Amino acid sequence: MEIVGELINASRKKIRDDIKEKNHEVIRQVAQDQKDHGAKFIDVNAGIFVGKEPDYLSWLVETVQETVDTPCCIDSPDPKAVEAALKVHKGTPLINSISLESDRYNAMIPILRDSDLKVIALCMSDEGMPYTKEDRLKIADKLINSLVQNNVKIENIYVDPLVHPIGSGNHLGNEFLKSIETIKREYEGIHTICGLSNVSYGIPKRKFANQVFMSMAISKGLDSAILNPLDKRMMANIVAAETLIGKDDYCMNYVEAYRNGLFDFN
Ligand code: THG
């Protein structure tokens, strides 16, 4: 499982103030903590600062990369902000994201064409958010084909089928899980990703619900996720779930996690 650390996100009140005040030390610490707990990418999101997003997002990339050698996941619906962040980013980031919304799609394709960038293909279109597996697959198929036609490698594409809150419909968890399974089966070599915690909006014990849903998604082939790597129980569940579906030869990762104290909770 490739973990994208979600904590540097301006939708979190504390981080919003730290970004506004350009508080270097706090941002650096949050980046370091997430790396130390297994993040392979550090998500940076300044989406609530309308108009100032390109400036803040570039500052976040620079600040994270002063601290850790981990690449960023550049999280913005605004191609101008993505471009600004990309200018200062060292190494290969994960672009979050392209979608089938025409303005975003048309602005993102030239950035991605012939590049070695990694990119999240988010299942959204001008018709809004998809709810069924069929609607997600239609969008995913168009995005994957056009990215490949534009010379983006299949292994650099991370499809995000979009997680909805389970409180808004009984079937929504299953539709998401079926999407992961089908995408992994039909597009060999592709990655799948999601922002898991959307599933628990509006219900109690969110962390617990997120952890259970993660195990279910792993069983369908989810291979990366945007989440809080400081959630110890979540990280333990991931190791165990991957071992239990056969992605851990001789249970070596499981045993190592045990030895490192990852399972020390009750
Ligand atoms: N797909 C893709 N990118 C995404 C998402 C997605 N980026 C943003 C988001 N969804 C993933 N990131 C977060 C970051 C924080 C939280 C959830 C998802 C979160 N915040 C607490 C809350 O909302 O209750 C805030 C608590 C706090 O203030 O700390 O849970 O789906 N491609």
Side-chain angles (χ1 to χ4, degrees):
M1 172 75 45
E2 251 179 343
I3 305 292
V4 179
E6 73 177 14
L7 293 176
I8 304 182
N9 188 316
S11 74
R12 304 180 61 225
K13 196 177 171 323
K14 171 79 180 70
I15 291 287
R16 178 182 322 165
D17 296 340
D18 291 321
I19 296 175
K20 216 188 277 173
E21 293 157 18
K22 295 206 168 172
N23 191 343
H24 260 89
E25 287 317 304
V26 171
I27 299 297
R28 292 184 62 160
Q29 190 64 51
V30 178
Q32 187 71 53
D33 286 346
Q34 293 188 96
K35 183 197 165 154
D36 292 346
H37 287 80
K40 292 291 179 285
F41 295 92
I42 307 292
D43 192 273
V44 286
N45 180 316
I48 61 145
F49 296 108
V50 179
K52 289 186 165 177
E53 200 186 345
D55 173 41
Y56 282 129
L57 204 59
S58 326
W59 177 77
L60 284 174
V61 167
E62 286 173 328
T63 305
V64 168
Q65 293 205 310
E66 277 166 28
T67 317
V68 292
D69 53 9
T70 317
C72 292
C73 172
I74 299 175
D75 187 353
S76 170
D78 177 2
K80 289 221 157 44
V82 172
E83 239 173 332
L86 204 47
K87 271 206 186 97
V88 297
H89 190 281
K90 293 175 282 193
T92 311
L94 175 57
I95 303 294
N96 185 7
S97 50
I98 188 171
S99 72
L100 215 55
E101 297 156 288
S102 37
D103 288 352
R104 191 164 171 186
Y105 174 85
N106 290 328
M108 288 306 299
I109 283 288
I111 298 175
L112 296 163
R113 184 179 292 136
D114 298 321
S115 79
D116 204 33
L117 295 165
K118 295 172 189 285
V119 62
I120 296 179
L122 181 65
C123 291
M124 271 178 70
S125 72
D126 290 330
E127 281 147 52
M129 296 195 280
Y131 289 91
T132 62
K133 176 187 116 173
E134 285 68 30
D135 287 349
R136 287 176 164 100
L137 263 292
K138 268 186 219 154
I139 299 172
D141 188 67
K142 285 185 186 158
L143 283 170
I144 294 164
N145 286 329
S146 77
L147 286 166
V148 168
Q149 269 163 23
N150 282 283
N151 211 12
V152 175
K153 294 188 197 73
I154 195 109
E155 62 269 25
N156 284 341
I157 302 173
Y158 293 66
V159 179
D160 182 344
L162 202 65
V163 173
H164 292 286
I166 193 60
S168 45
N170 268 346
H171 58 292
L172 292 172
N174 270 334
E175 292 294 321
F176 170 83
L177 294 167
K178 287 191 292 180
S179 306
I180 295 284
E181 187 171 39
T182 306
I183 291 161
K184 287 299 279 187
R185 190 176 60 236
E186 292 188 1
Y187 305 93
E188 206 190 321
I190 209 150
H191 293 285
T192 47
I193 193 165
C194 68
L196 196 79
S197 44
N198 299 349
V199 79
S200 61
Y201 278 129
I203 61 172
K205 284 279 181 192
R206 288 191 61 188
K207 278 188 173 169
F208 173 63
N210 296 344
Q211 291 152 5
V212 173
F213 197 54
M214 179 55 126
S215 301
M216 297 165 79
I218 288 173
S219 80
K220 301 296 186 190
L222 184 74
D223 57 31
S224 31
I226 306 168
L227 52 76
N228 176 4
L230 306 189
D231 178 353
K232 199 169 176 186
R233 185 72 187 234
M234 172 64 88
M235 299 304 274
N237 272 13
I238 291 171
V239 172
E242 293 203 309
T243 301
L244 294 168
I245 56 150
K247 285 189 172 172
D248 180 15
D249 289 343
Y250 308 106
C251 305
M252 296 217 314
N253 295 336
Y254 187 92
V255 172
E256 190 191 341
Y258 165 73
R259 289 199 180 122
N260 291 337
L262 192 66
F263 301 148
D264 291 348
F265 47 75
N266 49 36

